[in-house]
C-alpha cells in the first residue's frame, strides 16, 4: 500500500514564524501536492510538483513556498505565518500516467497560527 | 456549472438503510471523476476513478455511476453500516488541466446511526 506520511498531526505556531510542513511518500510517485482544507470549502491546491526541483503554483500559492529536493519528499513552507493560514493541510501523491491515477493522501496536519 | 457541487452537505441514516448522494461537475471538458472517502482522523482514501460516460463502479456495498453529458455522478451505499460514516468527496479532473488540476467538492458528511 502507498504510504504518505506528514510530519505532524497538530502544530501550533506564532504569527511571523517560519513554518515547515514535511511530507514523504514511499511509492516513487512523480507527482506531489499540497492542499489546504477550510470549513465550507473544497480542498484547494496550494502547490504541485511533478518532478524533483520542479514546482507549479496551484490556486492559492500566496504566502507559501515549496521545496522538492528528493523525489520522495515535498515540503511546504510558510515564510512568515499569519493567522489566516490556520487550516488543515493535506499532502498527496500520484503516478503520472493518465487520468486513471487517484491521489494518495496523508493524514493531514492541523496547523494553528496564534 | 463551473464548480464541483455535492449534495446533500450532510445526512444521517439508520443502520441498514441504503443511501445515495450526488456530485455535479462541469460537463464540458470532462476528463475524469474521482470519489474519495475521508474518515475522521484518517487520510482520504480513493474509492473510484471514473472516466467514461455510463461508467458504473462497485466496491463491496458502495457503487457509483457517471453521466458525463449532463455532468453528474451518484454514489450509492447499500445497507449502510456505522463504519461507513465518513465524508465522501468527489473531484473533477478537467481535460485541459494537465496532470494536476483537480476541482474538489465540499463533500457529503454521512453519519450512520446504529
Amino acid at each position: 500500500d502507498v504510504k504518505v506520511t506528514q510530519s505532524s498531526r497538530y502544530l501550533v505556531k506564532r504569527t511571523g514564524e517560519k513554518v515547515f510542513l514535511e511530507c514523504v511518500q514511499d511509492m516513487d510517485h512523480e507527482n506531489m501536492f499540497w492542499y489546504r482544507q477550510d470549513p465550507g470549502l473544497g480542498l484547494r491546491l496550494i502547490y504541485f510538483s511533478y518532478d524533483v526541483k520542479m514546482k507549479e503554483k496551484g490556486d492559492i500559492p500566496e504566502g507559501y513556498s515549496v521545496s522538492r529536493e528528493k523525489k520522495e519528499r515535498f515540503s511546504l513552507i510558510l515564510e512568515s505565518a499569519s493567522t489566516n493560514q490556520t487550516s488543515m493541510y493535506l499532502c498527496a501523491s500520484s503516478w503520472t500516467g493518465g487520468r486513471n491515477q487517484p491521489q494518495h493522501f496523508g493524514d493531514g496536519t492541523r496547523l494553528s497560527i496564534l | 456549472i463551473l464548480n464541483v457541487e455535492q449534495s446533500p452537505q450532510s445526512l444521517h441514516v439508520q443502520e441498514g438503510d441504503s443511501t445515495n448522494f450526488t456530485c455535479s461537475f462541469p460537463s464540458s471538458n470532462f476528463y475524469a471523476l474521482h470519489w474519495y472517502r475521508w474518515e475522521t482522523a484518517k487520510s482520504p482514501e480513493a474509492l473510484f476513478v471514473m472516466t467514461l460516460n455510463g461508467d458504473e463502479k462497485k466496491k463491496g456495498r458502495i457503487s457509483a455511476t457517471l453521466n458525463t453529458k449532463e455532468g453528474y455522478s451518484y454514489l450509492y451505499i447499500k445497507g449502510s453500516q456505522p463504519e461507513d460514516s465518513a465524508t465522501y468527496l468527489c473531484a473533477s479532473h478537467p481535460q485541459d488541466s494537465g496532470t494536476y488540476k483537480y476541482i474538489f467538492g465540499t463533500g457529503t458528511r454521512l453519519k450512520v446511526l446504529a
Side-chain angles (χ1 to χ4, degrees), chain B residues 30-94:
Chain B
F30 174 82
Y31 195 51
L33 187 88
H34 295 208
W35 279 103
Y36 295 88
R37 174 171 59 201
W38 192 1
E39 295 178 64
T40 303
K42 295 187 178 179
S43 56
E45 170 200 0
L47 286 173
F48 305 115
V49 178
M50 309 182 79
T51 57
L52 299 175
N53 186 45
D55 249 358
E56 289 189 32
K57 296 274 176 104
K58 188 172 180 176
K59 186 175 181 178
R61 293 179 292 97
I62 303 177
S63 59
T65 61
L66 179 69
N67 183 321
T68 61
K69 295 186 190 306
E70 296 183 40
Y72 64 84
S73 176
Y74 293 139
L75 190 81
Y76 300 92
I77 303 178
K78 185 177 178 181
S80 303
Q81 299 297 310
E83 59 264 30
D84 296 327
S85 297
T87 296
Y88 291 82
L89 296 174
C90 68
S92 169
H93 185 178

Side-chain angles (χ1 to χ4, degrees), chain A residues 24-43:
Chain A
V24 177
Q25 51 96 2
D26 65 358
M27 282 299 291
D28 205 36
H29 285 168
E30 295 89 354
N31 304 324
M32 296 189 75
F33 310 80
W34 275 106
Y35 294 93
R36 64 178 280 177
Q37 203 239 358
D38 299 291
L41 299 175
L43 292 178

Side-chain angles (χ1 to χ4, degrees), chain A residues 5-11 20-22 89 107-110:
Chain A
T5 303
Q6 294 185 230
S7 53
S8 304
R9 292 297 299 270
Y10 301 94
L11 205 54
F20 293 85
L21 302 183
E22 306 286 346
Y89 290 87
D107 289 341
T109 296
R110 191 167 292 281

Side-chain angles (χ1 to χ4, degrees), chain A residues 9 56 59 99 101 103 106, chain B residues 31 34 36 41 43 101-102:
Chain A
R9 292 297 299 270
E56 289 196 23
D59 297 320
R99 53 182 167 167
Q101 303 305 320
Q103 298 196 335
Chain B
Y31 195 51
H34 295 208
Y36 295 88
S43 56
K101 184 70 172 183
Y102 298 80

Side-chain angles (χ1 to χ4, degrees), chain A residues 40-109:
Chain A
L41 299 175
L43 292 178
R44 292 183 292 165
L45 182 66
I46 305 171
Y47 265 98
F48 158 79
S49 170
Y50 55 90
D51 202 349
V52 175
K53 297 190 187 295
M54 306 305 290
K55 61 186 179 184
E56 289 196 23
K57 294 179 181 179
D59 297 320
I60 50 165
E62 296 79 19
Y64 303 95
S65 62
V66 290
S67 171
R68 192 157 179 211
E69 296 297 318
K70 294 185 177 181
K71 192 174 185 179
E72 67 270 19
R73 186 179 297 270
F74 192 35
S75 303
L76 180 70
I77 304 154
L78 287 66
E79 296 289 344
S80 178
S82 64
T83 54
N84 63 12
Q85 292 177 309
T86 291
S87 188
M88 165 72 91
Y89 290 87
L90 281 167
C91 175
S93 69
S94 72
W95 296 109
T96 296
R99 53 182 167 167
N100 287 320
Q101 303 305 320
Q103 298 196 335
H104 301 268
F105 288 88
D107 289 341
T109 296

Side-chain angles (χ1 to χ4, degrees), chain B residues 98-109:
Chain B
T99 57
Y100 68 94
K101 184 70 172 183
Y102 298 80
I103 306 170
F104 281 84
T106 54
T108 291
R109 187 174 300 174

